Amino acid sequence: LGIGVVLPLLGAAAQGAAAALRWEWLVPPFLAGVAGHWVTSIPDELADRRARKRTLAVVAGGLVARRAALALVTFAALSGWWMLPGDDRARAWALALVLAATLPAWAVHHDAGPTDRRRCLIFVAALGGAITAAFVGWSVAAAMTAHVD
């Protein structure tokens, strides 16, 4: 909620544009934020299991958590294309960049559990990069259509 909803709302309010912000514009960053939480918990699955935490990786299993994070990042990127304002070309580049950034994660996700540190780090870095690329791409796309009066 903090990164995907509160931060954009605060930014819009600080710029005097809160009234122009549409609720559906908050869906893609919210989804990307949730995926980010899932992704960062994946390397800690074994310790979280011992500590009896209730992370997605512990509750559903590491493979399910990795697949869910991949799916959510992909869905966030696609929903950003449909829901967010911006120049079509910039949104297309942002979408392509995010989807390309997920490719290494797709390649290693099956074996990217916490016991295979190399693949796990590739997975986490690729999806973290894809989420960052999504936020940057969405910002650039929106800025390309901003009108300064």
Side-chain angles (χ1 to χ4, degrees), residues 61-78:
L63 182 59
V64 170
R66 292 188 300 274
R67 286 180 176 164
L70 273 165
L72 198 55
V73 169
T74 302
F75 186 71
L78 292 170

Side-chain angles (χ1 to χ4, degrees), residues 75-90:
F75 186 71
L78 292 170
S79 66
W81 168 260
W82 289 304
M83 293 182 185
L84 294 173
D87 177 84
D88 283 347
R89 286 177 294 152

